[in-house]
Structures are given as C-alpha cells and as structure tokens.
Amino acid sequence: MFLAPMVLVWDSSPVWVTNGLEQVLTISLFFTAHKYSRAVDLYTQAISLNSNNVVYWANRAFAHTKLEEYGSAIADATKAIEIDQRYVKGYYRRGAAFLAMGKFKEALKDFKQVAKIVPKDPDAMKKLRECEKAVQKIRFEEAIASDKIIVAETVDYQTIQVEPSYDGARIEGDLVTLPFIKTMMEDFKQQKKVHKRYAFQILLQVRKSLMALPSLVDISVPDNGQFTVCGDVHGQYYDLLNIFELNGLPSDENPYLFNGDFVDRGSFSVEVIFTLFAFKCLYPQGIYLARGNHESKSMNKIYGFEGEVKAKFNERMVELFAEVFCCLPLAHVLNGKVFVVHGGLFSTDGVKLSDIRGIDRFVEPPDEGLMCELLWSDPFNGLGRSPSKRGVAVAFGSDVTKRFLEENNLELIVRSHEVKEEGYQIEHDGKLITVFSAPNYCDQMGNKGAFIKFKAPDFKPDIKAFDAVPHPNVKAMAYANNLLSLLG
C-alpha cells in the first residue's frame, strides 16, 4: 500500500519520510517526549534521501547527544561541517559533544570557530568565554597536580568538633553502626545533612576497606544464599530507598553489588554515596561496589557531583571523594560463573581474568586500554567490534561475549551503563544482561529500574523491575556545570 509522506519539522527545515504504519507525528514531538532514538531513526531516513542537507546531520547529532552517544554526535556534526564549512550549528553540535565527554580543549576549538563565523552573536561569545575559563582551570589543575598532597593523609576527623546544635545521626566511637545508618538515611530523607565529622570518617574508613581489595573481586555465595546486583543509581536517593524497601537492607545475609555510577545527574548523589559507603564500612561482605565511568573527576566536574559536594560540604571533600573513587574495584566474579562489570568487554580478544586482576586501578580512568574499556564499552546487535557511539572504548558483538566467557570458564556477563526502557535488557543469546537501577532517569526518560537476584548454587538470574518514586522538588542536574547548557 502506498502511503503519503509526512513532514517532520525541526530546526526550521522539513524532513520527508514515509510514515509506514506508524502514527504521524512531528519530530519536535519526539524530542518533547524524549524519544530520541526515534528521532535518530527519522533523521537517518531523511539523510538516506538527501545526504547533503547539513540540517539533517546537525539535528541527528543533537539527538545522539541526548542519547549520550557522543561519538556518533561528533561524527554527524563533522559531516555537516564537511558539507558546509561555515555551518555554525555543525561546530556548535560537535563542540557540545566534546564538552559532554569532558574534552574541553577540543570543545574550545569548535566554539572558537562558532565565534569566528558569528562574531557579533552575544550568545556565541558568552559560551566561548565559559569554555575558555573551563580550559584555563583544567590547565591550572594539571600544572599543580604533581604537587598535590594526598588529602586522606591530612584529614583527622577526630579533631572536627560537632556543634551542640547538631541534631542528626552520630557515630559513637570509631565504628559505623546499623542504628547510625538508619538514622542517617532518615535524615537524608528529610533533606538533612550528615555532619562533616562523620562524613570524613565514613570516607576514610571506606577508603581503607577498598584499598585492600584486588581490581577484580571474587565473591562466593553459599548454597541457598542469595545475591542482588543493581545497576546505575545516578544520585536518585529516593529510588535507592525504594530498592531497599523492595529487597531489604544490605547485610551479610542479604548481600548486594552496586555496579557503578552511584553519582552524577541525580541531585541526591551525596545521600546515595554516603549510604552505600556507610553500609560498606558496616558489612564488608554485605555490600560490594564497582567503579563506573562516572566515578571520575572529569565526569563529576560536568554532571553534578562536584557541584553538589561543594554545595553541601567543601572543596576538600571533593578531592577526598576523587581519591576514594580511585580505590573502587573494576569488576567482580560471582561464584566463578557471573562476570559483573559496569561497561563491558575489550577491543582485543584473549583478555583473561588475571589481566583484569593485574590492572593498577588507583588512577583516574585513562582514555584507552583495559580499564577504560571495562568502564565505557557497550554491547551491540551484531558480530565483531565497531567504534563506540560514545566516542570512548568499543562496541562489542555476541561472538566477542561468547569467546570471553568460554576463555574464562564463565556463564554470564552482567553489566550496566545504559538506560533501558524496562530497566534491563537480555542480549547476546542470553549471555549478557544490562541492568539499570535509576527509573525515570534524569526525571524525564520514563524508564523502569531493575535489579537482578541470584540464588546459589544454580545462579539463574531473577530480574525484578520497579517504577520511580516521588522525590523532593530538586530536579536532576541541579548541581551540574553551567557549561552543560551548551548541549542545547
């Protein structure tokens, strides 16, 4: 049956595609509804009909940016620039994508080009100045980095006085207790802060605990024992409380693994991280924590955690958090069967578990190599490998997953790192599961959250999905860097 074309309008340029059997909508409605994947599909169809229209490439770049597919956004914006070297939005979209990746110097080059093409545009000049300031700050930090002392070695929490007016949770003595954690969690629920004395105490104690762990942690669950794996929480404290309501608090009898990206984006990251760290202090074998790509300085500087810690505490605590994040393990193996990692697999075959154990993880994540790929890689529907849509690490196919499992005598990979509509997705012939535990991500995506329960000895995944719960009127990204306004 022949169907008339529909007009999709975005950025004042019409896009003609056939609508198939789908509802006729404008592309602006897909953006309004946060259906960015559908917008990418429609622009892809438009590009197939007219690949020389710069607007199509730039608008698809914008949609990729919204999907956090920054590598694809850079590629599309670059194509727009190749077609028209004076197309301002091409440079603007590419600069915004570089910025989202924390590549400030590359972003600055594109924003300079924007200002060169439209030198009298006040908005362009303002954004250029903001980017210049960010680059100058980074250069200054790099210059003094070699002279920095280890903050953890300079903090003595016992000398910090607790004011008589403080009426929140207290640690009596040197040990974190369950009553303290429960009181602190209730205080957080009421938007009260834990005193900085106890905050520093938790950070120093969890750092000591994490430093003693290997980069790859082996976990043994006894027969009939259970184990829960959660994905990204991203500062959504009230959804974390809901997980505990649904599944019980962490304990030696009810152990959890939180698989990275505890912070950033959500505006209750401080509350999330202190809750998880406090439980780690109390139950070293009752809760395990893996590093995600957002447990890093570059991401925290952009996506809100740095700003939140400064607002609720101080700069010194920002630096201490960065030191603690560098102590987080990179992956876990459950009962010799299930490999759990935040991102995914590698750009080369033959990587053994012993190679992961041998990684020196006590650094900021590099831009390439095994550590980078563990934190940043994604699976894709296909075979082999391809460049990552994120512009970092690699996308890997089902054959790569199969070989890694066979070579390391494993049965399943569990990873996180990507928002999924149902809170999870099973891929690669059932050998790989993505789990994401931040429902209605960033207060706008409408997705469910999920966690996975395993029971020994068979260790078959039992996936539990859940909806978002209400939270106080503090929107996601409330503490994000002002530069994020450049994304659009």
Side-chain angles (χ1 to χ4, degrees), residues 416-435:
S416 305
H417 196 38
E418 291 182 281
V419 60
K420 298 297 180 181
E421 188 171 345
E422 297 302 318
Y424 71 95
Q425 185 172 345
I426 301 173
E427 301 174 80
H428 292 185
D429 303 316
K431 296 296 185 181
L432 183 145
I433 303 176
T434 296
V435 60

Side-chain angles (χ1 to χ4, degrees), residues 149-156 204 207 316 320 323:
I149 57 175
I150 299 173
V151 174
E153 296 177 355
T154 69
V155 175
D156 182 0
L204 292 173
R207 176 178 178 269
R316 196 180 192 197
L320 182 55
E323 293 177 3

Side-chain angles (χ1 to χ4, degrees), residues 39-171:
V40 168
D41 292 342
L42 292 171
Y43 273 117
T44 300
Q45 294 177 51
I47 288 168
S48 70
L49 296 173
N50 182 1
S51 62
N52 289 318
N53 189 312
V54 292
V55 174
Y56 300 169
W57 291 100
N59 284 355
R60 194 173 73 172
F62 179 68
H64 279 306
T65 298
K66 290 294 187 180
L67 289 167
E68 302 176 24
E69 298 171 351
Y70 304 123
S72 295
I74 290 167
D76 279 359
T78 299
K79 180 64 177 179
I81 293 167
E82 289 173 356
I83 296 170
D84 182 354
Q85 294 185 7
R86 291 191 61 80
Y87 183 59
V88 171
K89 284 204 172 179
Y91 296 101
Y92 183 85
R93 298 295 185 218
R94 190 171 68 181
F98 278 132
L99 191 65
M101 295 173 65
K103 297 182 178 294
F104 293 101
K105 295 174 184 177
E106 292 87 343
L108 180 58
K109 292 178 184 177
D110 279 327
F111 289 124
K112 282 183 175 179
Q113 193 65 29
V114 171
K116 182 177 179 181
I117 296 171
V118 286
K120 295 182 179 180
D121 186 321
D123 186 55
M125 296 307 296
K126 177 184 176 183
K127 289 169 179 174
L128 173 60
R129 288 193 295 270
E130 289 173 350
C131 198
E132 285 175 334
K133 285 190 290 185
V135 170
Q136 289 170 358
K137 183 178 180 183
I138 289 170
R139 286 173 177 160
F140 174 75
E141 290 173 348
E142 289 174 348
I144 65 173
S146 59
D147 300 326
K148 277 196 171 182
I149 57 175
I150 299 173
V151 174
E153 296 177 355
T154 69
V155 175
D156 182 0
Y157 67 85
Q158 293 178 327
T159 65
I160 301 174
Q161 296 298 312
V162 179
E163 301 81 2
S165 59
Y166 176 72
D167 63 352
R170 294 173 180 262
I171 300 175

Side-chain angles (χ1 to χ4, degrees), residues 304-377:
F305 186 59
E306 179 179 300
E308 185 180 343
V309 176
K310 286 180 179 178
K312 295 177 179 178
F313 291 97
N314 53 45
E315 176 73 36
R316 196 180 192 197
M317 195 169 288
V318 171
E319 295 172 357
L320 182 55
F321 266 115
E323 293 177 3
V324 176
F325 287 163
C326 287
C327 301
L328 288 162
L330 303 177
H332 295 75
V333 172
L334 311 181
N335 278 28
K337 296 181 177 182
V338 182
F339 179 71
V340 188
V341 64
H342 180 72
L345 298 181
F346 311 100
S347 55
T348 58
D349 286 333
V351 176
K352 299 294 197 297
L353 297 182
S354 57
D355 296 319
I356 301 171
R357 289 190 183 95
I359 296 173
D360 178 9
R361 71 181 189 277
F362 299 100
V363 294
E364 287 298 314
D367 292 332
E368 58 184 10
L370 296 186
M371 182 173 173
C372 171
E373 290 163 356
L374 286 165
L375 300 183
W376 280 95
S377 290

